[in-house]
Amino acid sequence: MADILIVDDDDDLGDTLALVLAGLGHDVRVARDGHEGLRALGDRAFPDVVILDIEMPVLDGPGMAIQMFIQNTGRERIPVILISGYVDLRVTAERVGTPYFAPKPCSLDTLLDLLSRALRERTPPSPRAPIESAARDAEFQSPNRERE
Amino acid sequence: MRSDLRFLIAAICVMLAGAVASLAVLARSSHALSVAHQAIADNAAPTVVALDNAQARLRELHLLLLERHVGTIGHDAAGRASIAATRRDLDRSIDAYMALPVDPGEVPLQRAVRESLSEVNLVVDRSLATAPGTAASEAAMRRDLDTAMARLGLDLARASEFSAHLAKTAVAGVVGVSTTMLPLVAVIEAMTFLAAGATLALTYRAVRRAEALWAKSHAALDRRAAELELFAARVAHDLLSPLMTVSLSLELAGRRLTEPEDASVRQAVKRGTRTLNRVRRFVSDLLEFARAGAAPTPGSRARVEDAVRDIADELGPIAQDAGVELCVEPERAGHLREVACSPGVLTSALSNLVQNAIKYIGEGDVRRVSIRTADRPGEVRVEVEDTGPGVPEADRDRLFEPYARGRDAKAPGLGLGLATVRRLVESHGGHVGVEAADGRGSVFWFSLPTAA
């Protein structure tokens, strides 16, 4: 039904989310960080919504959101759902200017609820003050990258 | 450090002793000076002046008598008058001398002066009474006069010399005291200077050491806080995502198990989901507790009104589900204030208290949790009152310790909620506490300083 882009550095979570949403009939793509996410946006037609994690290496959630916003290519109109364990999630959501956010771990119901709201309302993010990047590249290595 | 302190005390004692000794020396010199001054001003000097005066009158008298004899002054009343006046002046000046304080050594000298004076008076009386006679008798008369007057003059001079000598002795005494005291004073001053120098050096060293220690401990605390922050952030990142993955997977599995024979597996999945929720809450509580110890961000501020409204909105449904009425008491001044912490901290503290109140509301008839705020000088006090069973006084302090559980130990949770509130609030310069409510229930409160 909808075209969804998931951006999260946790491979297992990204894949599981994709599995669940695909099972519900959506078209799902997964990116591992903000940089990959931006590339994915350029690949084909824009997704209907982006499910975005906050703390990721290379380029974090808010970083990607601001990049989407800067270039006047239509990307700035894509609604963003922030799903994160980041302590200041609410503050970050306000800064990015998106009304769709939930702390990890959130239930499937919560996620689906946010998804339907976002697809219905289509409220795009509207960043206010300069967004302080939460990515601490050197310190944050995604645990999944160290696969056995 | 200990020995430094001893040295410091010793140095200060030396300085004090030096001050006392200086005072003693000063007093001694001052006394000596005063005694000498008295001797000179009250005795020696006036004595010399009086005797000097007497000598002058004596010479005047001698001159007058000589002139009379020679014929320059007449034997008339005028002549007599001037002689009498001069004699009176002489008497007066010697009386003045006699009236002054007498030094023991002066006694014989005074006696001599008195005797000489009587002799002079006798001779002068005789001379005045006798009419001019023969040249020989005149010469004899004059010789007697000269002798008597010379003797008196000499005695007066000796007495004067004696007083002058007294004065000299007094001055020498003062000089003597100064001379002996001077080296002593020099030593005292030198010691005091050294002691002052030592005190300064030791105090400076002590202060520097204290500063270094404080800086080190402060740095250690900062490091610890930073490590904790990092730890909490890593845990958040590395635990919460996997938790969500497991939770989603379980949910997915549960939704697929629709066949009747899947009933037991469905049960297992349900239990797994419930357990996962419990784990999620534990992790959340732990993280919050860990973060609560973080150093406050300088300059942060939060509006009390906003926090109260957000919590009322967020926890309203939860309260409703638990059959509890959650109400916010009417606005008072406290609502309009800002406190010196980040909004997250204020919201977290309030949220913990309200959730705690809802959880332990008990089984009474009235199930109500009220939030109110009060303006206090320099701070805002936030209170959460419940109509629960209340907290016995003995338990009140313990409640805010980590892992403390209330009476109803069956209620789920790690027991970190109140400890988290205390940590959050106290690290921002505030206080927490619990009191009994009027009637049934408790009032949990915290206060935070108002933002500048």
Side-chain angles (χ1 to χ4, degrees), chain A residues 45 50 86 111 142:
Chain A
V50 175
Y86 186 53
L111 182 60
S142 163

Short mmCIF file of all heavy atoms in Angstrom, two decimals, chain A residues 45 50 86 111 142:
data_model
loop_
_atom_site.label_atom_id
_atom_site.label_comp_id
_atom_site.label_asym_id
_atom_site.label_seq_id
_atom_site.Cartn_x
_atom_site.Cartn_y
_atom_site.Cartn_z
N ALA A 45 11.44 6.82 -6.92
CA ALA A 45 10.42 7.77 -6.44
C ALA A 45 10.48 7.87 -4.93
O ALA A 45 10.82 6.93 -4.24
CB ALA A 45 9.03 7.31 -6.88
N VAL A 50 9.21 8.14 5.99
CA VAL A 50 10.51 7.62 6.44
C VAL A 50 10.42 7.32 7.93
O VAL A 50 10.00 8.17 8.73
CB VAL A 50 11.63 8.66 6.20
CG1 VAL A 50 12.94 8.16 6.78
CG2 VAL A 50 11.78 8.94 4.71
N TYR A 86 16.84 7.35 22.20
CA TYR A 86 17.58 8.55 22.61
C TYR A 86 16.84 9.27 23.74
O TYR A 86 15.63 9.43 23.70
CB TYR A 86 17.70 9.49 21.39
CG TYR A 86 18.56 10.70 21.63
CD1 TYR A 86 19.86 10.58 22.12
CD2 TYR A 86 18.09 11.96 21.35
CE1 TYR A 86 20.65 11.69 22.32
CE2 TYR A 86 18.87 13.09 21.55
CZ TYR A 86 20.15 12.94 22.05
OH TYR A 86 20.92 14.05 22.25
N LEU A 111 3.40 1.76 16.66
CA LEU A 111 4.05 2.04 15.39
C LEU A 111 3.04 2.15 14.26
O LEU A 111 3.07 3.09 13.45
CB LEU A 111 5.06 0.92 15.08
CG LEU A 111 5.87 1.10 13.80
CD1 LEU A 111 6.68 2.40 13.88
CD2 LEU A 111 6.80 -0.07 13.59
N SER A 142 27.79 0.53 15.56
CA SER A 142 26.60 -0.31 15.69
C SER A 142 27.03 -1.73 16.07
O SER A 142 27.98 -2.26 15.51
CB SER A 142 25.85 -0.33 14.36
OG SER A 142 24.96 -1.42 14.35
#
